[in-house]
Amino acid sequence: MKPIERFLRETDRVPLMPMPTPLHPMHYQPSGKDVSLFIKRDDMTGVGPGGNKIRSLEFLLGEARSKGASKILAAGPEQSNLCALTAAACAKAGLDCELIINAAEPARKEGNLLLEELLGTKIHFLGPCDGAVRNRRMEELAAAYQSAGEQVYVVRNGATTGRGALGYTAAVVEMKRQCEDLGIGRMTIFAPGGNGGVAAGLIYGNQLMGQPFRIVIVSVEDDRETLTAHIRSTISEVVEITGLPMDVSVEQAAEITDAYRGGGWGENTEESQQAVLSFARSEGIFIENVYTSKVLVGMMDWIEQKKVSGSVCYLHTGGLGSLFAQY
């Protein structure tokens, strides 16, 4: 057992999801290309509408419980997948959850807001404001509850923290075992780069597990330099928690591309908008506009350009809840 596996086994964690999530061949296999396409179904993480944040929340809520917290606060935009999944995870874990949303309360709730209403989650609608104002309000609310004697745990930065990134460090261990069981050779994983939490966990875990995978991160928001800096910062937090350093740079450990981000977060490209439709119609699996469609576009383009060969995996990080408010 490698040191990182021992650390993951011993650290505080709330079991939320059935593991492992499925890893299976895609129906579509490109002809004339030396690749075999697989999909890792992290849209099937077993809580709420599913998605990557559940992996992070296992470790975040584990830390919350270890600190005696009874109330969890999270914040995000109107259709935040993190917020809906935090509310669902807290329901399963028996923890109170409140959300801070930087939007006006709509007359009709759709997508993730509808799911949060079904969960009975208390939501603080701030009206239109930027993320900095929203996050400051969350911290003020946490301080007020603390002053009143309630133990509060704040899910910060969209769960992109060192603790949250442990979720995808653990996912590397899981995928390595799956590939061994399925007889799959060295695999290239395509994953999204938003604020860098998934990417940081994958890159860190892959290095500490002996580089079983080639990692390609497709930015959906920032330019390559900015995303790399986010990933580097989060990995530094992970190292502080585990005490296990990563002995190469982020740039050496993974390939990061910003060629498919278009206008940035939440802004479709013509190709990503088409991918939402074509993937559903070829695979019977739904992806969404913000993250997963751009990863798919990037992966298919790399295949077309013959920049990748062998076993290739599309990491489907979920987002189903927000899809219902995107059309």
Side-chain angles (χ1 to χ4, degrees):
M1 180 184 294
K2 293 186 180 296
I4 188 60
E5 294 178 273
R6 186 174 298 108
F7 176 87
L8 291 168
R9 179 174 293 186
E10 294 173 354
T11 198
D12 294 312
R13 187 174 185 177
V14 172
L16 295 172
M17 55 183 281
M19 292 187 291
T21 58
L23 172 67
H24 61 76
M26 284 172 50
H27 175 261
Y28 170 74
Q29 298 292 331
S31 61
K33 310 293 182 187
D34 183 24
V35 296
S36 298
L37 292 183
F38 293 82
I39 181 169
K40 176 63 170 171
R41 299 294 303 277
D42 272 12
D43 59 321
M44 299 176 66
T45 46
V47 179
N52 61 293
K53 300 296 185 182
I54 296 300
R55 290 192 184 273
S56 299
L57 286 163
E58 287 199 331
F59 288 94
L60 293 170
L61 297 187
E63 183 181 47
R65 273 193 173 165
S66 72
K67 293 181 175 180
S70 57
K71 184 184 294 293
I72 310 298
L73 299 183
E78 185 174 345
Q79 287 300 326
S80 166
N81 293 313
L82 168 72
C83 285
L85 290 172
T86 301
C90 286
K92 183 169 185 175
L95 294 164
D96 187 27
C97 177
E98 294 187 18
L99 303 174
I100 298 87
I101 304 292
N102 54 326
E105 183 173 2
R108 175 182 170 84
K109 294 183 175 64
E110 298 177 326
N112 281 321
L113 286 180
L114 173 60
L115 299 180
E116 291 152 12
E117 185 170 88
L118 294 174
L119 288 162
T121 310
K122 183 176 180 179
I123 302 176
H124 303 264
F125 288 98
L126 304 183
C129 63
D130 64 25
V133 171
R134 178 194 69 213
N135 294 340
R136 184 164 63 248
R137 175 58 182 142
M138 179 170 63
E139 299 295 342
E140 291 169 353
L141 187 62
Y145 280 128
Q146 291 283 162
S147 295
E150 189 157 9
Q151 288 297 110
V152 177
Y153 185 88
V154 178
V155 177
R156 295 183 172 89
N157 196 31
T160 297
T161 61
R163 184 72 55 178
L166 290 173
Y168 272 89
T169 301
V172 171
V173 178
E174 177 181 307
M175 290 187 71
K176 182 176 184 291
R177 290 173 183 163
Q178 282 182 295
C179 287
E180 290 169 351
D181 290 345
L182 294 170
I184 299 172
R186 192 168 189 265
M187 175 181 276
T188 301
I189 300 173
F190 282 81
N195 53 8
V198 170
L202 283 176
I203 293 167
Y204 180 76
N206 193 50
Q207 285 301 307
L208 270 69
M209 287 299 294
Q211 297 178 304
F213 304 107
R214 177 186 179 190
I215 305 292
V216 181
I217 304 300
V218 179
S219 177
V220 303
E221 181 174 2
D222 292 317
D223 61 71
R224 184 178 182 276
E225 292 72 23
T226 301
L227 175 57
T228 301
H230 289 328
I231 295 169
R232 188 182 300 116
S233 175
T234 303
I235 289 176
S236 295
E237 293 180 21
V238 181
V239 170
E240 188 173 338
I241 293 167
T242 65
L244 301 170
M246 189 174 89
D247 57 4
V248 299
S249 69
V250 170
E251 292 87 346
Q252 293 171 306
E255 295 158 270
I256 300 171
T257 175
D258 58 9
Y260 309 97
R261 64 191 179 106
W265 190 87
E267 296 290 332
N268 281 339
T269 64
E270 182 179 340
E271 294 82 5
S272 68
Q273 191 164 10
Q274 180 58 39
V276 174
L277 304 178
S278 62
F279 197 71
R281 294 169 187 179
S282 66
E283 300 293 330
I285 299 170
F286 298 103
I287 58 177
E288 49 72 61
N289 288 314
V290 177
Y291 296 97
T292 50
S293 59
K294 292 180 181 179
V295 177
L296 183 66
V297 169
M299 182 181 78
M300 292 304 189
D301 189 48
W302 276 44
I303 291 169
E304 187 65 28
Q305 295 185 51
K306 297 185 178 180
K307 295 169 69 173
V308 62
S309 61
S311 298
V312 178
C313 181
Y314 170 53
L315 177 58
H316 186 351
T317 52
L320 181 64
S322 62
L323 178 62
F324 291 99
Q326 292 176 359
Y327 283 91

